[in-house]
Amino acid sequence: MISVGKKTGTLATAAMVLVLMTAPASARGAEVTRGSLEPFATGIGHADYGDIEGHATMIRAASGETIVLVTARGLTPGETYGSHVHAQACDNGDAGGHYSFGHAVPGGALDGSEIWPGPFTANAAGHALGRTVVGATAGPTAVSVVIHAPGGAKIACADLG
Ligand SMILES: [Cu+2]
């Protein structure tokens, strides 16, 4: 089983993944951006995470909600990872800081203004699934998804395009 963390159940996630896999990008007015997870440049604090693979997807739904899904492999089994939508591309200052709506939105993280598909915990195979739904449409600077190691180091990133 993939660990899905604290939020809703696996059925809802399965339904979202199914929609994701079957719908064209423009279906029902949704805008879909996605990208492959790549490890940040190997270095101090990153060397143990060079094998991370996966994908991140953001769906700006016609309903006005934004859905973010992250799948990752190559994680440490049982370890919990943070993950956020960031406001710069992966190769621009290591994706910079967190994307923020600038005000609280339904389902938002931290003070309600951010989009966090994590934290999530890797299963025994080192796989994890993170996702979140917020009740507002992400702006144009919501351009990347970062995975953080325990302790906060940025270890992998996907550009949403
Ligand atoms: Cu982050």
Side-chain angles (χ1 to χ4, degrees):
M1 286 294 291
I2 293 173
S3 175
V4 294
K6 67 189 180 197
K7 294 174 186 168
T8 54
T10 53
L11 275 179
T13 299
M16 284 195 294
V17 170
L18 190 63
V19 167
L20 196 63
M21 292 171 58
T22 57
S26 60
R28 292 177 297 283
E31 180 194 346
V32 181
T33 55
R34 67 185 99 201
S36 297
L37 278 175
E38 304 286 348
F40 280 109
T42 303
I44 296 170
H46 296 167
D48 291 346
Y49 293 99
D51 294 335
I52 292 180
E53 300 180 318
H55 293 89
T57 302
M58 174 178 285
I59 304 167
R60 292 175 174 88
S63 63
E65 295 178 307
T66 300
I67 302 162
V68 178
L69 299 170
V70 183
T71 58
R73 303 182 297 278
L75 302 172
T76 301
E79 197 69 85
T80 298
Y81 297 82
S83 182
H84 322 113
V85 174
H86 277 239
Q88 294 177 200
C90 298
D91 66 356
N92 178 8
D94 285 349
H98 297 173
Y99 172 77
S100 173
F101 285 100
H103 54 86
V105 303
L110 196 60
D111 57 1
S113 68
E114 300 189 356
I115 308 173
W116 292 14
F120 47 73
T121 301
N123 71 6
H127 299 180
L129 169 64
R131 74 277 183 273
T132 191
V133 181
V134 299
T137 301
T141 60
V143 294
S144 60
V145 174
V146 170
I147 296 178
H148 295 261
K154 294 171 179 173
I155 55 174
C157 186
D159 285 314
L160 299 170

